[in-house]
Amino acid sequence: MSTPNEGAAGKKHINLKIWRQESPDHEGRFEEFKLPYVKGANVISCLMEIQKNPVTADGKKTTPVVWDSNCLEEVCGSCPMNINGRVRMACSSLVDKLEDPITLEPLSKFPLVRDLAVDRQRMFLALKQVKAWIRIDGTYNLGPGPKQPQGNHAQMYTLSCCMTCGCCLEACPQVQPDNNFIGAAAISQVRLFNMHPTGAFTADERLAGLMQDGGIQDCGKAQNCVEVCPKEIPLTTSISAMNREVTMKVVRDLFFEDVAGKGVGGPG
Ligand code: SF4
Ligand code: SF4
Ligand code: FES
């Protein structure tokens, strides 16, 4: 039995407890696996080992574990899971740094597909809601865009590292499977695209997206999101900045409504 925080380093075996569930309609259960220790192994390399020979620790043949991954270098965002009770990227989670046995469970805020694989569509719908892109295509030549100022490159680069993994949504108490809060990632992407000199032309549309149902007003400012982001994106700074922008938009909209209502500046 390991002492708390003792990783698998120096041991003969890596022990894993993995959540198995054929579909959302099936009962779930844990299965235990024992692998020979490999220095520098990460959670995905362990899952790949099990896939080659899916036999449990007590010698029973089982089905290969299902999970999502792609880049294996913490860029694509596809491999988040709950590892020892904390959301992390499986590809960058080294077994030497994890308490043994290592428990793997799927994200709980997203619909389960099977075993450790979930459907993260909710995040992509949130990006659509806030129009997290810059319009540069058209049927006519748009001409040269405004120049990108040097000053905020570093800040924009940090924000652009978001890989839509969903760790921030998993940790957020306001995100629940039965609500539609867009979460910190989409809010931070509005900040990124509104900082861009071309994106700034359509900043108001993104702010309007933030004000829709499930928008920034649902953030409870618990700050769990910023604690778990693998890319260390300053999410709470983004949320505060966008809260300010949204408030200014509300005031602007009220003022122009008022001015339009009174006919100020109109003919006659
Ligand atoms: S903000 Fe961080 S935690 Fe959230 S989706 Fe982007 S990279 Fe993942
Ligand atoms: S600040 Fe708290 S409530 Fe708001 S998105 Fe982050 S974790 Fe969720
Ligand atoms: S496999 Fe791409 S981030 Fe982990």
Side-chain angles (χ1 to χ4, degrees):
M1 179 75 186
S2 302
T3 53
N5 300 322
E6 189 182 349
K11 295 202 166 64
K12 285 198 175 137
H13 292 103
I14 302 167
N15 299 291
L16 295 118
K17 273 178 73 181
I18 303 179
W19 185 255
R20 306 304 312 272
Q21 192 170 348
E22 280 78 1
S23 79
D25 302 327
H26 284 78
E27 283 283 302
R29 73 210 175 276
F30 280 107
E31 275 184 352
E32 296 185 16
F33 297 87
K34 190 176 213 151
L35 299 174
Y37 172 76
V38 176
K39 190 171 164 45
N42 62 40
V43 167
I44 299 279
S45 64
C46 292
L47 288 169
M48 286 171 164
E49 246 351 89
I50 293 169
Q51 193 177 42
K52 284 188 212 157
N53 181 27
V55 174
T56 61
D58 54 3
K60 289 200 190 93
K61 189 97 185 125
T62 185
T63 50
V65 182
V66 173
W67 78 92
D68 275 324
S69 64
N70 191 354
C71 69
L72 306 184
E73 55 183 0
E74 208 184 70
V75 172
C76 73
S78 65
C79 69
M81 54 185 78
N82 282 307
I83 301 175
N84 287 351
R86 184 191 196 271
V87 64
R88 309 170 213 245
M89 304 311 285
C91 66
S92 53
S93 295
L94 301 176
V95 298
D96 289 343
K97 296 197 172 158
L98 294 168
E99 190 180 335
D100 189 90
I102 300 166
T103 305
L104 306 183
E105 293 169 276
L107 299 187
S108 62
K109 304 286 177 75
F110 299 82
L112 184 90
V113 176
R114 184 179 172 132
D115 296 338
L116 302 172
V118 297
D119 178 354
R120 290 178 299 121
Q121 191 191 22
R122 150 180 210 153
M123 295 205 71
F124 303 101
L125 293 176
L127 292 175
K128 275 170 94 172
Q129 175 173 330
V130 299
K131 299 190 192 324
W133 57 77
I134 290 174
R135 276 207 302 259
I136 50 165
D137 290 335
T139 52
Y140 55 93
N141 184 354
L142 295 171
K147 285 210 168 112
Q148 175 80 52
Q150 293 285 326
N152 56 7
H153 277 184
Q155 206 176 20
M156 289 181 73
Y157 177 74
T158 307
L159 300 177
S160 75
C161 289
C162 176
M163 50 186 176
T164 326
C165 62
C167 291
C168 53
L169 272 73
E170 177 70 8
C172 173
Q174 299 298 109
V175 172
Q176 294 301 331
D178 59 356
N179 72 14
N180 60 354
F181 175 40
I182 57 173
I187 298 171
S188 191
Q189 289 304 289
V190 172
R191 183 173 173 221
L192 169 66
F193 288 110
N194 283 8
M195 280 169 92
H196 191 282
T198 304
F201 290 130
T202 45
D204 235 39
E205 292 178 18
R206 289 185 206 94
L207 295 178
L210 282 185
M211 292 159 69
Q212 285 170 19
D213 195 31
I216 195 167
Q217 68 281 355
D218 289 355
C219 168
K221 302 179 182 63
Q223 308 200 1
N224 295 13
C225 49
V226 75
E227 299 288 328
V228 297
C229 174
K231 294 298 189 186
E232 298 182 2
I233 295 172
L235 293 169
T236 42
T237 312
S238 290
I239 292 167
S240 306
M242 290 306 94
N243 256 324
R244 271 196 307 277
E245 293 289 317
V246 161
T247 306
M248 278 156 63
K249 175 173 164 54
V250 170
V251 173
R252 265 196 320 271
D253 289 353
L254 272 174
F255 176 75
F256 283 117
E257 228 172 66
D258 205 32
V259 167
K262 289 182 180 142
V264 179

